[in-house]
Amino acid sequence: MKTDVEELTPTRVKLTVEVPFDELKPNLDKAYKEISQQVRIKGFRPGKVPAPLIDKYVGRGAVLQEAVNDALPELYGRAVEESEIFVLGQPDVEVTELEDGTQFAFTAEVDIRPKFEVPDYDGLEVVVEDAEVTDEQVEETIGNLRERFASLTNAERAAEEGDFATIDLVARIDGEEVEDASATGYSYEVGSKSSVEGLDEAIIGLSAGEEKTFTGTLTGGEHAGEEAEITVTVQSVKVKNLPDLDDEFAQLASEFDTMEELREDVRARLGRQVKLQQLSEARDKALEALLEKVDIPLPEKVVEEEIGRRNQQLEQQLQMAGMSKEDYLKEEEKTAEEFDTEVAEAARLAVKGGFVLDQLAVQEELGVENEELSEYVVSQAMQMGVQPQQLAEYLTQNNQLPAIVSEVLRSKALNLVVEHVAVKDESGNEIDVEAVRRELNGETGETVQAEEAAEDAAAEGDAAESAEGEEAPAEAAEAAAEESPAAEAKDEQAAKDKDA
């Protein structure tokens, strides 16, 4: 087999492959066998029809086409391997020559990763935020915990801001009720402005059993964006009672006996959170700094696919949240053009980041051990709330292991960059990233590495989202800081108190 490579652009090539006809013999034999099983010719059992009769009744051309279709994937793969190119996506294949008994030739145009070398990254400097925990942050976190243990009691008065009202809603357009915009027994925090505009103003001043009608613009459903006459009826008004911040509350909300111990625990957890954020920020900015030193062309088709993936992901998230894209843009205070520009820039950064980390892994001869794959799968399983064995079986059955290996390699490549970067906080203090990892994990280093693996996975398989900021571990740390260790165990009791 002979293969010629023509560079169409720095990111796209055309392979011209010539194959001696005798190399197709196994595929021809297979084609005859499969067609023999399908045809019905008098005097011959299925699978026993001789080749000459198949040529006569089915046609030699059909056999050749079947053999070529069977041979192309393997021949294309061999051509790619021999050419030592890194292909991206599916090729555009065209059979250019098929002479029975003499020669077979085809061309394949395909996008490739551009050829380049990652420059020296020693001496790069990045600045991250200070790992400071303020008294205000501690009190805010305790305040959030306090809110979880608030109770609701009936109020024999009109609704005020901050109350919780149980309401019925009926929306009508031209006198016809809009079913998906109506609700019964809906618990609503007055003043939260979390529903249709005008609802808060309508509820304030109403007592149980009273109603009010106002005009509002529907925010979701089939009639989103349309004006409707909305009638709100108050069933009950309840006032929220927050527990006192005393030792009794500490015992209710945690395993600690005193508020002083609870505050110390919250401060320690917030301290861990901000240090995790520092590590994440250091990774993000290290990749950003490296990407600034690299100028490479990007395959437009690959970038377009990444843009499409991101838009599809947003649409799914908005659908789950019951929001339209127009509502989202309004909330973000962006025009559609600004949003599209941002998505395109992020997609290009994503593709470029993946290329750079892949190439760095090749240059540094990085590999992936089975233990590293296992750690990655375990961290992902924990994040998804499934058993590691169940996730491993799914990945294997769906041929996802190559993607996992690539993701772990990218993470290792990024870790290598961070090790060579000088990291300082905004106050000018030098940060030893490895020392921070050891500190957070009691000298083992395992927990933070697992969390960083979860960060990379949260980027949905593309390394460049590291450059945009990986928020999953920060959110997890924040949740841990907001909840004392025993808080979940006491949620049931708190729920009972709320209904008191």
Side-chain angles (χ1 to χ4, degrees), residues 3 90 229 305 343 362 371-372 412 432 499:
T3 302
Q90 297 299 314
E229 293 294 318
E305 290 174 352
V343 170
V362 172
E371 292 78 6
E372 293 171 319
K412 292 182 70 172
D432 185 335
D499 293 332

Side-chain angles (χ1 to χ4, degrees), residues 12 17 19 101 155 178 198 212 221 235 240 257 303 308 325 329 358 360 386 423 427 439-440 448 452 456-457 465 475:
R12 191 169 179 82
V17 184
V19 184
V178 181
K212 189 172 184 179
Q235 291 185 4
K240 179 169 62 176
D257 294 325
V303 173
K325 188 174 181 180
L329 293 176
D358 287 341
L360 182 57
V386 300
V423 182
S427 298
E439 175 191 344
L440 290 174
V448 166
E452 288 176 346
D456 294 333
E465 288 190 354
E475 292 172 356

